[in-house]
């Protein structure tokens, strides 16, 4: 064993190759800068983050202050997006809604990512019975229509924005498990993993030093896309009355109350929906662009 | 092939057991058992104990689970709290509406999505390609419930082209045979009811189907592009086959295989979307039943809806797998 190792200077040769390889390619950042999808998506996402941070400074009115003298006013110079049935300024509410959307999207995504990556790594690396059990759990969760699965979780935990967020996080766990497990399976058989095992590295070190870093690219792509989807799904739960409760300025809840005034006051339901659309387009475009750049299995079309 | 089918059928059993455990455990963690909910405020402790005994809620948990499974296999999911009818009856009467909506959305999505994707691939980088891919991106990103509301506002509220909710106009009654309105109207030769139901289904179909339409368009575009680059397509062109034959016989037929897989899996997504679409358009389907039951803490019905939709999805996935094996002769299942 030691003989083989001394005869084949694996680490040295590997690192030399790697350096040359990297030099030949343009850096990741310059590749990102030349990808239209990444640039457009990132611009939208950064704009949203700035809106969320500066919502209190930018929004002209208090998002939850009711004022019955100015109920259901159409869009005007004073109220860009009009006012709702309680006389609240919809523009301000949409701006504040960005905070909720990003918060909910990122947290739901983090829950799914944390659980999914751990389970996926274990299933892929150890295989055998553990893999079979995790695979079974994945199949079972994927057998539910995702919205009904989320509804059960909300039923168990009780309605509310936090629980809706957890529910959507749970729904996306199997997607991450499948992704990570598949990636790990392809990496596990690589020679450098075998080499690491041969020199007696502990499993945890092999996983964190050699396997996980190589799963990062597909995980980043997935995580970007899931934020957008999680925002829509959570808004959907709020729309059904299971998520954000009034007076929280959350887009799904705003749509739900705007539905009652749909025929007389179109602006209440229109603008929060447009906001969701913009957010989701941002994350979708960014995710697609990142996939083009990061996924080594996809050649550019 | 038949051995493969049997093996896949056997693989369904652990998944369905898992589904039943998850639903059972979920419904048990919810505070307040069925007896408390059924009796409401007026139950005395004695009446409660009697009902709990009757419903088997005083038994050990694993016995309760086996009873739940045994009952569910016979189609007994308990009594609905709201209507005091068997939960199964409730779901059974709402199921056809959801199937009608999902299938019409699926048909809309395939009839529009696949041609768009194929055309975009054959004219890659053309104006049509760019415009349709932007359209696809927007359709993928639109929340179903918002699409529904906007369509309703524009085509129902403002233009009055389509009704804004429900499934039949007032004054039209349709004798229920299958529960699928369009089918019932056809069987009975009732053209007025058929017209009315189609008009009512139009907007919900577009709202629900646009997401799948976009997914199918994207999928068929990339599948077509992938195959157009294959050597055998070049060979087919080189030997002088007309472009039409190359596209239809050599490319499209092969591109269809992944598209069908994705299309089949869309049905599960449509069942989720149906909850939102039915809520927006006030359609008496399974999704709306699930949400009203959940908000009313009528968990027997929720349980029944969830079990039945999971069953449907598992069966659909099986059929997609089998179709895949049938369509792709390279795949050999032993």
């Amino acid at each position: 064993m030691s003989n083989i190792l001394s005869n084949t200077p694996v680490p040295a040769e590997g690192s030399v190759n790697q350096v040359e390889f990297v030099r030949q390619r343009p850096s990741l950042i310059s590749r990102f800068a030349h990808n239209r999808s990444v640039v457009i998506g990132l611009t939208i996402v950064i704009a949203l983050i700035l809106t969320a941070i500066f919502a209190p400074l930018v929004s002209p009115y208090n998002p939850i202050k009711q004022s019955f003298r100015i109920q259901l006013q159409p869009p005007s110079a004073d109220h860009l997006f009009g006012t709702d049935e309680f006389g609240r300024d919809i523009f301000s509410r949409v701006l504040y809604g960005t905070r909720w959307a990003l918060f909910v999207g990122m947290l739901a995504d983090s829950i799914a990512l944390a659980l999914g990556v751990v389970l996926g790594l274990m299933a892929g690396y150890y295989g055998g019975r553990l893999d079979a059990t995790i695979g079974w759990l994945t199949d079972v969760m994927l057998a539910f229509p995702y919205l009904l699965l989320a509804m059960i979780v909300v039923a168990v935990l009780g309605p509310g924005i936090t629980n809706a967020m957890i529910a959507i996080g749970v729904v996306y766990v199997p997607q991450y498990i499948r992704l990570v497990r598949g990636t790990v399976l392809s990496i596990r058989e690589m020679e450098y993993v075998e080499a690491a095992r041969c020199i007696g590295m502990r499993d945890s070190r092999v996983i964190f030093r050699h396997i996980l870093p190589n799963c990062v690219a597909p995980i980043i792509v997935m995580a970007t896309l899931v934020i957008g989807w999680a925002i829509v799904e959570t808004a959907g739960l709020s729309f059904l009355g299971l998520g954000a409760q009034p007076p929280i300025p959350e887009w799904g809840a705003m749509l739900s109350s705007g539905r009652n005034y749909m025929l007389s006051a179109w602006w209440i339901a229109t603008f929060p929906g447009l906001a969701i659309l913009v957010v989701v387009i941002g994350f979708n475009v960014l995710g697609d662009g990142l996939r083009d750049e990061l996924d080594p299995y996809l050649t550019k079309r | 092939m038949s051995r493969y089918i049997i093996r896949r059928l056997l693989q369904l059993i652990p998944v369905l057991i898992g589904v039943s455990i998850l639903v059972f455990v979920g419904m048990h963690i919810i505070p307040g058992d069925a007896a408390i909910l059924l009796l409401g405020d007026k139950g005395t402790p004695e009446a409660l104990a009697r009902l709990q005994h009757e419903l088997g809620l005083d038994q050990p948990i694993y016995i309760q689970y086996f009873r739940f499974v045994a009952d569910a296999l016979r189609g007994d999911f308990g009594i609905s709290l709201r209507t005091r009818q068997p939960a199964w009856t409730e779901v059974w009467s709402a199921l056809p509406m959801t199937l009608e909506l999902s299938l019409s959305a699926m048909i809309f999505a395939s009839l529009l999505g696949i041609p768009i994707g194929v055309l975009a691939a054959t004219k890659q980088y053309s104006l049509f390609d760019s415009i349709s891919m932007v359209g696809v991106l927007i359709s993928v990103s639109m929340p179903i419930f918002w699409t529904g509301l906007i369509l309703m506002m524009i085509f129902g509220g403002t233009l009055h082209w389509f009704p804004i909710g429900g499934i039949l106009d007032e004054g039209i009654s349709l004798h229920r045979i299958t529960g699928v309105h369009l089918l019932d109207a056809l069987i009975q030769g009732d053209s007025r009811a058929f017209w009315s139901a189609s008009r009512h289904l139009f907007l919900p179909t577009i709202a629900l189907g646009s997401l799948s339409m976009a997914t199918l368009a994207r999928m068929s575009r990339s599948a077509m592009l992938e195959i157009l680059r294959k050597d055998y397509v070049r060979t087919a062109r080189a030997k002088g086959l007309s472009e039409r034959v190359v596209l239809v016989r050599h490319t499209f037929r092969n591109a269809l295989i992944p598209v069908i897989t994705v299309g089949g899996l869309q049905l599960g997504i449509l069942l989720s979307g149906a909850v939102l679409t039915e809520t927006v358009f006030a359609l008496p389907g399974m999704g709306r039943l699930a949400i009203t039951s959940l908000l009313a803490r009528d968990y027997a019905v929720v349980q029944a809806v969830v079990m039945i939709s999971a069953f449907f999805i598992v069966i659909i996935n099986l059929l997609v797998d089998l179709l895949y094996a049938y369509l792709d002769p390279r795949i050999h299942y032993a």
Side-chain angles (χ1 to χ4, degrees):
Chain A
M1 187 62 89
S2 61
N3 203 12
I4 297 173
L5 279 174
S6 60
N7 282 344
T8 47
V10 175
E13 199 177 71
S15 57
V16 168
N17 276 345
Q18 211 170 15
V19 169
E20 283 172 0
F21 193 44
V22 171
R23 273 199 197 129
Q24 281 161 1
R25 287 196 307 181
S27 79
L28 204 59
I29 292 177
S30 85
R31 276 194 295 145
F32 282 165
H34 283 97
N35 184 310
R36 211 169 32 159
S37 302
V38 175
V39 173
I40 296 175
L42 207 58
T43 311
I44 298 179
V45 170
I46 290 174
L48 287 166
I49 294 174
L50 291 178
T51 311
I53 295 174
F54 296 111
L57 296 177
V58 193
S59 50
Y61 297 92
N62 180 332
I64 52 173
K65 189 167 168 275
Q66 304 185 357
S67 160
F68 288 96
R69 278 175 299 124
I70 49 162
Q71 279 169 300
L72 298 173
Q73 286 192 350
S76 63
D78 276 350
H79 298 277
L80 278 180
F81 292 175
T83 61
D84 67 5
E85 70 274 27
F86 296 112
R88 295 174 297 201
D89 179 51
I90 293 177
F91 183 58
S92 306
R93 286 177 70 73
V94 168
L95 289 182
Y96 270 90
T98 320
R99 295 185 149 191
W100 283 102
L102 291 181
F103 171 72
V104 157
M106 286 175 185
L107 249 79
D109 195 7
S110 313
I111 294 171
L113 190 139
L115 286 172
V117 169
V118 169
L119 290 173
L121 276 175
M122 293 199 319
Y125 187 76
Y126 291 108
R129 226 175 251 175
L130 189 67
D131 185 23
T133 312
I134 294 174
W136 172 72
L137 195 72
T138 316
D139 285 346
V140 168
M141 287 177 75
L142 288 175
F144 290 95
Y146 61 86
L147 203 60
L148 287 179
L149 184 60
M151 279 165 62
I152 298 182
V153 179
V154 173
V156 171
L157 299 174
I161 182 83
T162 318
N163 293 341
M165 185 179 78
I166 296 173
I168 297 300
V170 170
V171 166
Y172 280 104
V173 170
Q175 319 265 1
Y176 276 103
I177 295 182
R178 287 225 161 148
L179 176 81
V180 175
R181 178 181 173 273
T183 319
V184 172
L185 282 181
S186 66
I187 296 171
R188 197 180 60 175
E189 304 305 325
M190 297 269 178
E191 276 160 12
Y192 62 84
V193 174
E194 211 177 316
R197 274 182 174 155
C198 284
I199 59 172
M201 253 191 200
R202 271 176 292 116
D203 280 347
S204 59
R205 227 172 115 81
V206 176
I207 291 177
F208 286 108
R209 284 289 293 276
H210 294 283
I211 292 187
L212 191 57
N214 288 299
C215 300
V216 167
I219 293 176
I220 288 178
V221 173
M222 180 98 173
T224 312
L225 293 168
V226 168
I227 293 182
W229 297 336
I231 290 174
V232 187
E233 313 300 2
T234 321
L237 284 179
S238 294
F239 179 77
L240 292 171
L242 298 171
Q245 306 294 322
I248 294 181
E250 197 269 351
W251 296 334
M254 288 169 74
L255 275 173
S256 171
S257 69
R259 183 154 66 113
N260 304 324
Y261 301 91
M262 203 181 56
L263 301 180
S264 54
W266 55 269
W267 51 92
I268 303 185
T270 303
F271 292 111
L274 273 177
I276 300 179
L277 181 63
V278 170
V279 173
V280 180
I281 287 183
F283 282 104
N284 274 343
V285 170
L286 181 60
D288 286 347
L290 290 177
R291 174 166 24 217
D292 289 345
E293 295 305 326
L294 291 175
D295 199 335
Y297 303 105
L298 269 178
T299 43
K300 242 185 165 178
R301 296 231 161 89
Chain B
M1 188 74 185
S2 62
R3 270 181 65 195
Y4 174 68
I5 297 178
I6 292 169
R7 214 185 63 205
R8 283 292 279 111
L9 276 172
L10 288 178
Q11 281 171 357
L12 293 188
I13 296 171
V15 172
L16 287 173
I17 291 176
V19 167
S20 66
I21 292 176
L22 209 68
V23 171
F24 177 78
V25 170
M27 293 300 141
H28 261 256
I29 303 174
I30 297 173
D33 65 25
I36 298 173
L37 290 172
L38 271 172
L39 278 178
D41 301 333
K42 44 192 189 292
T44 60
E46 295 79 49
L48 186 65
R50 203 165 52 238
L51 191 59
Q52 277 175 334
H53 181 71
E54 249 170 61
L55 294 171
L57 295 171
D58 52 351
Q59 303 271 345
I61 186 101
Y62 63 91
I63 295 195
Q64 287 189 44
Y65 170 72
F66 286 121
R67 276 186 56 158
F68 164 71
V69 171
D71 288 345
L73 285 175
R74 282 183 281 121
D76 178 1
F77 288 95
I79 303 289
S80 160
L81 203 63
R82 283 179 309 137
T83 58
R84 308 277 155 173
Q85 280 191 346
W88 171 253
T89 321
E90 296 259 301
V91 177
W92 188 242
S93 64
L95 179 65
M97 177 74 251
T98 302
L99 290 181
E100 187 171 14
L101 176 62
S102 308
L103 282 179
S104 66
M106 193 68 226
I107 292 170
F108 161 76
S110 324
L111 287 185
L112 206 63
I114 296 177
I116 288 179
V118 169
L119 220 62
T122 54
K123 300 183 192 323
Q124 197 186 3
Y125 302 129
S126 68
L127 187 65
F128 177 81
D129 187 24
S130 319
I131 292 176
S132 57
M133 284 308 115
V134 170
V136 160
L137 174 69
I138 293 174
S139 310
V140 163
S141 310
M142 287 214 287
I144 290 177
F145 45 100
W146 186 66
T147 318
L149 286 177
I150 294 293
L151 288 174
M152 214 158 134
M153 264 180 344
I154 297 174
F155 296 103
T158 312
L159 296 171
H160 299 288
W161 290 358
F162 294 99
I164 57 168
I167 182 66
L168 286 173
D169 286 308
E170 247 176 88
I172 292 185
S173 63
L174 184 63
H175 180 63
R176 186 189 166 100
I177 303 170
T178 58
V180 178
H181 298 85
L182 291 178
L183 200 62
D184 282 355
L186 268 186
I187 293 172
Q188 292 164 50
D190 187 341
S191 59
R192 262 184 69 217
F194 188 82
W195 177 238
S196 172
S198 340
R199 272 167 44 92
H200 279 86
L201 267 175
F202 191 80
L203 296 180
T205 297
I206 294 178
L208 180 58
S210 55
L211 176 65
S212 302
M213 186 266 286
T215 313
L216 282 176
R218 220 178 225 188
M219 191 65 217
S220 27
R221 177 175 178 273
S222 66
M224 283 292 284
L225 285 178
E226 176 120 24
I227 292 186
L228 278 172
R229 282 183 315 190
K230 294 257 171 171
D231 288 342
Y232 63 78
V233 172
R234 198 184 336 144
T235 310
R237 280 191 178 134
K239 74 179 181 187
L241 288 182
S242 73
E243 192 61 20
R244 224 181 68 105
V245 175
V246 172
L247 282 181
V248 174
R249 211 187 286 161
H250 293 259
T251 315
F252 182 64
R253 275 181 56 173
N254 287 307
L256 211 54
I257 296 171
V259 172
I260 285 177
T261 316
V262 170
L265 300 179
Q266 287 295 314
L267 273 168
I269 294 170
L270 287 177
L271 282 182
S272 285
V275 178
L276 294 161
T277 317
E278 286 166 9
T279 308
V280 171
F281 288 95
L283 297 173
M286 213 165 61
R288 199 166 75 119
L289 180 68
I291 186 73
T292 27
S293 306
L294 188 66
L295 289 173
R297 299 166 65 86
D298 191 353
Y299 298 125
V301 177
V302 178
Q303 196 169 286
V305 171
V306 172
M307 287 296 289
I308 287 165
S309 8
F311 184 75
F312 258 96
I313 290 191
V314 168
I315 296 294
I316 289 166
N317 289 352
L318 172 72
L319 291 178
V320 170
D321 263 13
L322 295 181
L323 197 64
Y324 195 79
Y326 175 75
L327 285 176
D328 194 342
R330 288 168 306 183
I331 300 175
H332 265 288
Y333 294 99

Short mmCIF file of all heavy atoms in Angstrom, two decimals, chain B residues 239-265:
data_model
loop_
_atom_site.label_atom_id
_atom_site.label_comp_id
_atom_site.label_asym_id
_atom_site.label_seq_id
_atom_site.Cartn_x
_atom_site.Cartn_y
_atom_site.Cartn_z
N LYS B 239 -28.21 11.57 -46.63
CA LYS B 239 -28.67 10.66 -47.66
C LYS B 239 -29.86 11.25 -48.41
O LYS B 239 -30.48 10.58 -49.23
CB LYS B 239 -28.99 9.29 -47.08
CG LYS B 239 -30.25 9.19 -46.25
CD LYS B 239 -30.45 7.76 -45.74
CE LYS B 239 -31.73 7.67 -44.94
NZ LYS B 239 -31.91 6.38 -44.29
N GLY B 240 -30.18 12.50 -48.15
CA GLY B 240 -31.11 13.23 -48.99
C GLY B 240 -32.57 13.14 -48.58
O GLY B 240 -33.45 13.44 -49.37
N LEU B 241 -32.83 12.75 -47.34
CA LEU B 241 -34.22 12.74 -46.89
C LEU B 241 -34.72 14.17 -46.79
O LEU B 241 -33.96 15.09 -46.50
CB LEU B 241 -34.33 12.08 -45.52
CG LEU B 241 -34.13 10.57 -45.47
CD1 LEU B 241 -34.33 10.08 -44.05
CD2 LEU B 241 -35.13 9.88 -46.40
N SER B 242 -36.01 14.34 -47.03
CA SER B 242 -36.55 15.69 -46.93
C SER B 242 -36.53 16.13 -45.47
O SER B 242 -36.57 15.32 -44.56
CB SER B 242 -37.99 15.72 -47.46
OG SER B 242 -38.83 15.10 -46.52
N GLU B 243 -36.44 17.45 -45.26
CA GLU B 243 -36.35 18.00 -43.91
C GLU B 243 -37.54 17.55 -43.07
O GLU B 243 -37.42 17.30 -41.87
CB GLU B 243 -36.28 19.52 -44.01
CG GLU B 243 -35.89 20.23 -42.73
CD GLU B 243 -34.51 19.85 -42.20
OE1 GLU B 243 -33.68 19.35 -42.99
OE2 GLU B 243 -34.26 20.02 -41.00
N ARG B 244 -38.69 17.43 -43.72
CA ARG B 244 -39.90 17.03 -43.01
C ARG B 244 -39.73 15.63 -42.42
O ARG B 244 -40.03 15.39 -41.25
CB ARG B 244 -41.10 17.05 -43.96
CG ARG B 244 -42.35 17.66 -43.40
CD ARG B 244 -43.44 17.57 -44.44
NE ARG B 244 -43.82 16.18 -44.66
CZ ARG B 244 -44.95 15.65 -44.20
NH1 ARG B 244 -45.82 16.40 -43.57
NH2 ARG B 244 -45.23 14.39 -44.40
N VAL B 245 -39.24 14.71 -43.22
CA VAL B 245 -39.06 13.34 -42.75
C VAL B 245 -38.00 13.30 -41.65
O VAL B 245 -38.16 12.63 -40.63
CB VAL B 245 -38.65 12.41 -43.93
CG1 VAL B 245 -38.33 11.02 -43.42
CG2 VAL B 245 -39.78 12.36 -44.94
N VAL B 246 -36.92 14.08 -41.83
CA VAL B 246 -35.87 14.11 -40.81
C VAL B 246 -36.45 14.60 -39.49
O VAL B 246 -36.24 14.00 -38.44
CB VAL B 246 -34.72 15.04 -41.25
CG1 VAL B 246 -33.73 15.23 -40.12
CG2 VAL B 246 -34.03 14.47 -42.47
N LEU B 247 -37.24 15.68 -39.59
CA LEU B 247 -37.77 16.26 -38.35
C LEU B 247 -38.80 15.36 -37.71
O LEU B 247 -38.77 15.12 -36.51
CB LEU B 247 -38.40 17.63 -38.64
CG LEU B 247 -37.39 18.77 -38.82
CD1 LEU B 247 -38.13 20.07 -39.08
CD2 LEU B 247 -36.53 18.90 -37.58
N VAL B 248 -39.74 14.85 -38.50
CA VAL B 248 -40.84 14.09 -37.91
C VAL B 248 -40.39 12.70 -37.50
O VAL B 248 -40.53 12.30 -36.35
CB VAL B 248 -42.03 14.01 -38.89
CG1 VAL B 248 -43.10 13.10 -38.33
CG2 VAL B 248 -42.58 15.39 -39.15
N ARG B 249 -39.77 11.99 -38.45
CA ARG B 249 -39.53 10.58 -38.15
C ARG B 249 -38.27 10.36 -37.33
O ARG B 249 -38.22 9.49 -36.47
CB ARG B 249 -39.48 9.78 -39.45
CG ARG B 249 -39.99 8.37 -39.19
CD ARG B 249 -39.83 7.48 -40.38
NE ARG B 249 -40.79 7.78 -41.41
CZ ARG B 249 -40.61 7.38 -42.67
NH1 ARG B 249 -39.52 6.73 -43.03
NH2 ARG B 249 -41.52 7.65 -43.59
N HIS B 250 -37.23 11.15 -37.60
CA HIS B 250 -35.96 10.87 -36.93
C HIS B 250 -35.79 11.68 -35.65
O HIS B 250 -35.18 11.22 -34.71
CB HIS B 250 -34.79 11.12 -37.86
CG HIS B 250 -34.75 10.15 -39.00
ND1 HIS B 250 -33.91 9.08 -39.01
CD2 HIS B 250 -35.48 10.07 -40.13
CE1 HIS B 250 -34.11 8.37 -40.12
NE2 HIS B 250 -35.06 8.96 -40.82
N THR B 251 -36.30 12.88 -35.65
CA THR B 251 -36.04 13.73 -34.49
C THR B 251 -37.21 13.74 -33.52
O THR B 251 -37.06 13.42 -32.35
CB THR B 251 -35.74 15.17 -34.96
OG1 THR B 251 -34.84 15.12 -36.05
CG2 THR B 251 -35.15 15.98 -33.84
N PHE B 252 -38.38 14.11 -34.03
CA PHE B 252 -39.53 14.31 -33.13
C PHE B 252 -39.86 13.05 -32.35
O PHE B 252 -40.08 13.09 -31.15
CB PHE B 252 -40.74 14.80 -33.93
CG PHE B 252 -41.93 15.07 -33.08
CD1 PHE B 252 -41.92 16.07 -32.13
CD2 PHE B 252 -43.08 14.31 -33.22
CE1 PHE B 252 -43.02 16.31 -31.33
CE2 PHE B 252 -44.19 14.54 -32.43
CZ PHE B 252 -44.15 15.54 -31.49
N ARG B 253 -39.87 11.91 -33.06
CA ARG B 253 -40.26 10.68 -32.38
C ARG B 253 -39.33 10.34 -31.23
O ARG B 253 -39.74 9.83 -30.20
CB ARG B 253 -40.32 9.53 -33.38
CG ARG B 253 -41.66 9.47 -34.09
CD ARG B 253 -41.75 8.35 -35.05
NE ARG B 253 -41.48 7.06 -34.41
CZ ARG B 253 -41.63 5.91 -35.03
NH1 ARG B 253 -42.01 5.88 -36.28
NH2 ARG B 253 -41.37 4.79 -34.42
N ASN B 254 -38.05 10.64 -31.41
CA ASN B 254 -37.11 10.35 -30.33
C ASN B 254 -37.16 11.41 -29.24
O ASN B 254 -36.94 11.12 -28.07
CB ASN B 254 -35.69 10.26 -30.89
CG ASN B 254 -35.50 8.98 -31.66
OD1 ASN B 254 -35.77 7.89 -31.14
ND2 ASN B 254 -35.08 9.09 -32.90
N ALA B 255 -37.44 12.65 -29.65
CA ALA B 255 -37.50 13.72 -28.67
C ALA B 255 -38.72 13.55 -27.77
O ALA B 255 -38.76 14.02 -26.64
CB ALA B 255 -37.54 15.07 -29.36
N LEU B 256 -39.71 12.86 -28.29
CA LEU B 256 -40.97 12.72 -27.56
C LEU B 256 -40.80 11.90 -26.27
O LEU B 256 -41.55 12.09 -25.31
CB LEU B 256 -41.99 12.03 -28.47
CG LEU B 256 -43.44 12.42 -28.27
CD1 LEU B 256 -43.59 13.91 -28.36
CD2 LEU B 256 -44.32 11.75 -29.31
N ILE B 257 -39.79 11.03 -26.24
CA ILE B 257 -39.65 10.13 -25.09
C ILE B 257 -39.45 10.90 -23.77
O ILE B 257 -40.24 10.73 -22.84
CB ILE B 257 -38.53 9.10 -25.33
CG1 ILE B 257 -38.93 8.21 -26.52
CG2 ILE B 257 -38.30 8.25 -24.10
CD1 ILE B 257 -37.83 7.30 -27.00
N PRO B 258 -38.44 11.78 -23.69
CA PRO B 258 -38.32 12.54 -22.44
C PRO B 258 -39.50 13.47 -22.21
O PRO B 258 -39.89 13.72 -21.06
CB PRO B 258 -37.02 13.34 -22.63
CG PRO B 258 -36.75 13.33 -24.08
CD PRO B 258 -37.31 12.05 -24.60
N VAL B 259 -40.09 13.97 -23.30
CA VAL B 259 -41.21 14.90 -23.15
C VAL B 259 -42.40 14.19 -22.49
O VAL B 259 -43.06 14.75 -21.61
CB VAL B 259 -41.61 15.49 -24.52
CG1 VAL B 259 -42.88 16.30 -24.40
CG2 VAL B 259 -40.49 16.36 -25.06
N ILE B 260 -42.63 12.95 -22.89
CA ILE B 260 -43.75 12.21 -22.29
C ILE B 260 -43.50 11.97 -20.81
O ILE B 260 -44.41 12.10 -19.98
CB ILE B 260 -43.96 10.88 -23.04
CG1 ILE B 260 -44.64 11.17 -24.38
CG2 ILE B 260 -44.80 9.91 -22.22
CD1 ILE B 260 -44.83 9.97 -25.23
N THR B 261 -42.25 11.67 -20.46
CA THR B 261 -41.93 11.47 -19.05
C THR B 261 -42.26 12.72 -18.25
O THR B 261 -42.93 12.67 -17.22
CB THR B 261 -40.43 11.17 -18.90
OG1 THR B 261 -40.07 10.24 -19.90
CG2 THR B 261 -40.14 10.61 -17.55
N VAL B 262 -41.76 13.85 -18.75
CA VAL B 262 -42.00 15.10 -18.04
C VAL B 262 -43.50 15.40 -17.99
O VAL B 262 -44.03 15.81 -16.96
CB VAL B 262 -41.24 16.25 -18.73
CG1 VAL B 262 -41.65 17.59 -18.16
CG2 VAL B 262 -39.76 16.05 -18.55
N GLY B 263 -44.18 15.14 -19.11
CA GLY B 263 -45.61 15.40 -19.17
C GLY B 263 -46.37 14.58 -18.13
O GLY B 263 -47.26 15.09 -17.45
N GLY B 264 -45.99 13.31 -18.00
CA GLY B 264 -46.66 12.46 -17.01
C GLY B 264 -46.46 12.98 -15.60
O GLY B 264 -47.40 13.01 -14.80
N LEU B 265 -45.22 13.43 -15.34
CA LEU B 265 -44.94 13.92 -13.99
C LEU B 265 -45.66 15.23 -13.73
O LEU B 265 -45.89 15.61 -12.58
CB LEU B 265 -43.43 14.08 -13.81
CG LEU B 265 -42.66 12.77 -13.99
CD1 LEU B 265 -41.17 12.99 -13.82
CD2 LEU B 265 -43.14 11.71 -13.01
#
